[in-house]
Amino acid sequence: MRRLSRRQFLSIGGLVVVGASASQVMSALARDEKAPVATATIRYAMVIDPAKCAQDPTCRDCIDACHKIHNVPLFAPNAQGEETDKAHEIKWIWKATFEEAFDEQEGDNYATGGMKEQPMMLLCNHCDNPPCVRVCPTQATWKRASDGIVMMDFHRCIGCRFCMSGCPYGSRSFNFRDPRPFVQEINTSFPTRTKGVVEKCNFCEERLAQGQPPACVEACRQKALVFGNLEDPNSEAHKILAERLALRRKEHLGTRPQAYYITS
Amino acid sequence: MIDHLLHGGPRYWAWLAFLCVVIAIGFGCYYYQLDYGLGVTGMSRDVSWGFYIAQFTFLVGVAASGVMVVLPYYLHHYKMFGKITIMGEFLAVAAVTMCVLFVVVDLGQPSRVLNVLLYPTLNSVMFYDIIVLSGYLLINIVVGWTMLTAESNELPPPAWVKPLIYISIPWAISIHTVTAFLYSGLPGRDYWLTAIMAPRFLASAFASGPALLILIALILRRVTSFDPGLPALRKIGTIVTYAMIVNIFFVLMEFFTGFYSQAPGHMASLQYLFFGLDGYGRLVPFMWLAAVLGIGAVIALLFQRVKQDERLFALALGAIFVATWIDKGLGLIVGGFTPNPLGDITEYAPTLPELGVTLGVYGIGFLVLTVLYKITVGVREAQLSPETAQQAATAEQASPEQLVAEAAH
Ligand code: SF4
């Protein structure tokens, strides 16, 4: 709703608005770090326990579940079902090393075991202050006011890839070619994409609408992924974060990522 | 005035035919890209912008640099540049045309480009860039064409163009500043996240653009009777030299900040570009070539002898042009994406179709430039008898532009 009214507002004013709303832009840019979003009663987040994930190093259940229901293509899979065309790869959730996920947190190099050896599941952080949204010239990607999910409109995206430059986490993929022939088994209840648009994890917004948890969370046998509303003190996600120390990727950038990696 | 386009020697027609062939190749490659997708280019998930956006960035600089002849002439009453201001304005027109085309060929869904206007987004720098670029294109077309028409009719230009010319000066600065903001406002790209990005863009633009303008003028002197005068070109050469010195200084400041602070993010891209990183270093020879050419040319240009010798002068300017092109048209974009946010490296190299499209866009740009310059030269040749053509070299004749400049004071 918020998005619609803002769009109307913008199109009515057209170019005249540019000057008039300069102050609005400045206040948006200078938004207070800690200012609560007044209307939000839901702030979805993913709490990830890499220690649990590490129990089965070959497991890729969450990846497969996500990519299957979201019609993510595989251009040149190897025997394990992994993409070998790395340049054009589309991925919504994937496994990385600690060094890759927390490249500025080299930590102390004498530590063995623990977090440094655990796999890190990476996905869009659904940042609370998302730079990808800030740079998009068409509002094809936006932060949903009701729950903080960073959404994506595949039909409005012009494929300029500004959001890919803006995202400091490499969370976004671009369709360098028509993905449809490379989708193993098309799920007709979720849109396929055309070539030339950007895509990423959507926190299973379509499943949440039906009261289901995200597909990756459901698929994980180790229960390493906990999804929930951080605004709700009774949610499991909230409770874990109340007790355990968690890392977020590149916190110093002020993006306020909503994927939390709990330390062991 | 358009009729000047129809009269030309065999060299003129051969040049046009050549451009048409290049453009046709470009169209062929673009059709292939449209059909398959941007996968035909060398771009990847990690290096998600490549040659196209790099050329766009470089050419915004060339476009902005027109101001370096317009400003001394109109604000400082620098008569020597009288013959060449229109050339600067028309070079800007051609450059912005190419900028727009490079952005369009880079889009994954070019048919949706109007979404930018249908859903104007005030928080996106791209929105402002589109506004300042299209405004700049319009201003330069109107100013250049009006001045030329006045010159053709041997009348002083209408009074309303003067304010437009004054507006064009800060506007030129704005196009390159806003373009720098596309990069310098992104939190995760340390090579771009620097407050010096816009100044650095301007410095390199004021070196590369005027260098190109002088080179074109030197060619025009040889193949047509048009001559802006060597003293004027040498003066612009001085501007190029100082701009290049500032540009090199800015680059060195980036080196200091990165390597003295030892902050990994600020070193990584420079390391990749100049020394290679984790065994990857495809751009290293190019970056050093740029360094040698740029520094060498600046030193050479400090000698009067080099400026006096037309050949050496052209050579030094060519070196500066190539150096700034490598820095901005190659290193800047790829360097910003390398290493990727996870610290991994995917190397980039343009593919043949990508180069074909790039050449095609340059072909269109040069076609626009040729058409505009041909008309300009035609108008001037028509006015000058062979005798006065000689005098024009010393810029003694008051052109309508000079009248405006004088009126302004
Ligand atoms: S992780 Fe990247 S794509 Fe996801 S919201 Fe943050 S900036 Fe945007």
Side-chain angles (χ1 to χ4, degrees):
Chain A
M1 262 338 275
R2 184 198 69 94
R3 185 171 149 251
L4 238 182
S5 58
R6 182 166 164 206
R7 204 188 305 166
Q8 284 166 342
F9 162 74
L10 288 174
S11 49
I12 295 165
L15 295 186
V16 185
V17 173
V18 175
S21 45
S23 62
Q24 187 201 354
V25 176
M26 288 321 288
S27 67
L29 290 174
R31 205 165 23 199
D32 180 9
E33 273 272 315
K34 265 136 211 137
V37 185
T39 53
T41 51
I42 304 179
R43 171 65 260 193
Y44 283 136
M46 188 72 80
V47 179
I48 299 156
D49 189 343
K52 287 186 182 164
C53 192
Q55 285 169 15
D56 184 355
T58 58
C59 172
R60 38 179 292 128
D61 291 353
C62 58
I63 303 172
D64 292 336
C66 166
H67 288 183
K68 188 160 186 276
I69 69 156
H70 292 122
N71 294 323
V72 172
L74 268 174
F75 297 116
N78 63 10
Q80 285 76 47
E82 294 159 349
E83 181 66 88
T84 58
D85 183 0
K86 292 289 175 198
H88 302 148
E89 181 175 25
I90 314 265
K91 49 187 179 188
W92 286 29
I93 179 166
W94 73 101
K95 206 179 268 190
T97 63
F98 180 83
E99 278 77 16
E100 288 175 318
F102 297 94
D103 65 330
E104 277 136 341
Q105 236 142 348
E106 279 174 82
D108 75 293
N109 291 313
Y110 304 104
T112 50
M115 212 168 175
K116 284 194 86 175
E117 251 97 277
Q118 292 159 1
M120 300 291 142
M121 296 312 301
L122 303 187
L123 66 163
C124 167
N125 294 287
H126 294 270
C127 303
D128 199 38
N129 183 17
C132 57
V133 168
R134 202 180 307 141
V135 298
C136 176
T138 62
Q139 296 154 58
T141 190
W142 72 97
K143 191 179 104 178
R144 193 155 72 178
S146 57
D147 53 16
I149 295 182
V150 174
M151 304 280 287
M152 184 70 218
D153 183 343
F154 305 126
H155 299 282
R156 191 187 283 188
C157 174
I158 60 174
C160 70
R161 311 192 291 299
F162 205 177
C163 58
M164 294 178 79
S165 305
C167 172
Y169 305 101
S171 300
R172 290 174 168 264
S173 306
F174 179 72
N175 285 281
F176 280 97
R177 59 190 297 192
D178 183 7
R180 285 170 188 144
F182 302 95
V183 177
Q184 249 66 359
E185 198 184 314
I186 289 186
N187 168 19
T188 48
S189 61
F190 195 79
T192 53
R193 271 75 71 194
T194 56
K195 67 188 167 208
V197 298
V198 170
E199 61 180 82
K200 65 166 195 75
C201 158
N202 66 348
F203 262 1
C204 279
E205 164 273 319
E206 79 284 0
R207 288 170 58 93
L208 296 175
Q210 316 214 322
Q212 295 169 300
C216 54
V217 174
E218 197 176 76
C220 180
R221 283 172 284 138
Q222 316 286 352
K223 301 276 169 271
L225 303 170
V226 175
F227 180 83
N229 173 17
L230 293 187
E231 295 287 317
D232 173 7
N234 294 317
S235 72
E236 201 191 336
H238 185 109
K239 283 182 187 156
I240 297 174
L241 292 182
E243 284 169 12
R244 315 244 333 241
L245 179 65
L247 297 179
R248 295 191 294 177
R249 298 173 67 197
K250 305 191 189 196
E251 267 187 285
H252 65 287
L253 296 178
T255 53
R256 301 198 295 276
Q258 297 303 311
Y260 296 79
Y261 297 81
I262 44 183
T263 56
S264 36
Chain B
M1 293 194 319
I2 313 255
D3 55 301
H4 290 301
L5 287 178
L6 300 174
H7 312 290
R11 253 193 314 205
Y12 168 66
W13 292 111
W15 170 242
L16 285 190
F18 169 73
L19 287 180
C20 288
V21 171
V22 171
I23 293 168
I25 292 172
F27 264 102
C29 293
Y30 185 59
Y31 180 79
Y32 174 49
Q33 178 187 302
L34 265 188
D35 186 52
Y36 183 95
L38 280 162
V40 305
T41 68
M43 289 184 268
S44 61
R45 199 179 184 283
D46 287 341
V47 184
S48 46
W49 281 336
F51 226 55
Y52 299 151
I53 292 300
Q55 301 318 302
F56 154 79
T57 310
F58 178 73
L59 288 166
V60 172
V62 172
S65 72
V67 77
M68 278 290 119
V69 286
V70 172
L71 187 144
Y73 183 69
Y74 287 104
L75 286 191
H76 297 283
H77 201 46
Y78 205 78
K79 280 191 187 178
M80 209 188 246
F81 288 175
K83 289 274 151 197
I84 205 163
T85 46
I86 284 193
M87 301 307 212
E89 280 148 6
F90 283 162
L91 179 61
V93 171
V96 179
T97 308
M98 288 188 271
C99 290
V100 173
L101 289 174
F102 272 119
V103 171
V104 172
V105 299
D106 187 67
L107 293 181
Q109 286 286 337
S111 61
R112 295 184 191 162
V113 63
L114 282 182
N115 280 2
V116 176
L117 300 176
L118 292 176
Y119 311 105
T121 307
L122 300 179
N123 42 279
S124 176
V125 180
M126 188 106 49
F127 175 72
Y128 298 93
D129 211 32
I130 287 169
I131 291 181
V132 292
L133 278 175
S134 44
Y136 192 65
L137 180 62
L138 214 65
I139 288 178
N140 278 288
I141 290 177
V142 170
V143 169
W145 195 255
T146 310
M147 297 305 274
L148 193 61
T149 312
E151 200 174 320
S152 171
N153 299 335
E154 297 184 43
L155 288 169
W160 54 260
V161 355
K162 219 190 319 166
L164 214 53
I165 290 168
Y166 289 144
I167 290 174
S168 81
I169 293 171
W171 202 293
I173 309 288
S174 83
I175 63 169
H176 218 25
T177 306
V178 176
T179 303
F181 287 174
L182 288 177
Y183 306 103
S184 66
L186 304 179
R189 311 280 174 187
D190 286 326
Y191 187 50
W192 297 339
L193 188 69
T194 163
I196 212 174
M197 189 59 103
R200 196 178 143 191
F201 268 26
L202 287 165
S204 92
F206 293 157
S208 61
L212 180 63
L213 192 64
I214 301 171
L215 288 173
I216 293 175
L218 287 175
I219 294 172
L220 286 183
R221 278 182 89 235
R222 299 221 157 183
V223 299
T224 72
S225 62
F226 168 76
D227 185 1
L230 273 180
L233 297 183
R234 285 192 202 109
K235 262 283 170 287
I236 303 175
T238 309
I239 295 176
V240 171
T241 314
Y242 284 117
M244 193 63 186
I245 290 172
V246 174
N247 184 31
I248 293 170
F249 176 63
F250 284 167
V251 175
L252 291 175
M253 285 166 81
E254 293 286 4
F255 267 91
F256 173 80
T257 304
F259 290 97
Y260 191 81
S261 73
Q262 295 280 304
H266 290 283
M267 290 191 291
S269 294
L270 285 173
Q271 230 159 358
Y272 169 71
L273 288 174
F274 284 89
F275 310 107
L277 191 62
D278 300 343
Y280 297 98
R282 196 173 272 170
L283 290 181
V284 172
F286 290 97
M287 297 313 288
W288 284 106
L289 176 68
V292 170
L293 287 178
I295 295 171
V298 161
I299 293 173
L301 281 172
L302 291 177
F303 291 97
Q304 272 308 316
R305 213 168 344 128
V306 174
K307 274 201 205 158
Q308 297 300 331
D309 184 323
E310 211 181 305
R311 281 240 171 85
L312 287 179
F313 188 41
L315 212 63
L317 293 168
I320 285 192
F321 186 77
V322 172
T324 47
W325 181 84
I326 291 175
D327 173 38
K328 234 180 189 168
L330 213 55
L332 176 83
I333 302 298
V334 180
F337 284 118
T338 318
N340 79 358
L342 281 72
D344 301 328
I345 293 178
T346 305
E347 286 213 279
Y348 165 85
T351 59
L352 276 181
E354 196 174 2
L355 290 175
V357 173
T358 304
L359 279 181
V361 174
Y362 270 108
I364 293 174
F366 274 99
L367 186 67
V368 170
L369 195 67
T370 306
V371 164
L372 293 173
Y373 278 13
K374 174 77 177 134
I375 297 174
T376 310
V377 170
V379 163
R380 290 188 175 163
E381 280 180 346
Q383 285 172 345
L384 302 177
S385 65
E387 227 171 290
T388 48
Q390 296 254 308
Q391 290 171 2
T394 48
E396 275 170 6
Q397 270 208 334
S399 71
E401 290 150 311
Q402 285 168 348
L403 292 177
V404 169
E406 270 153 35
H409 280 262

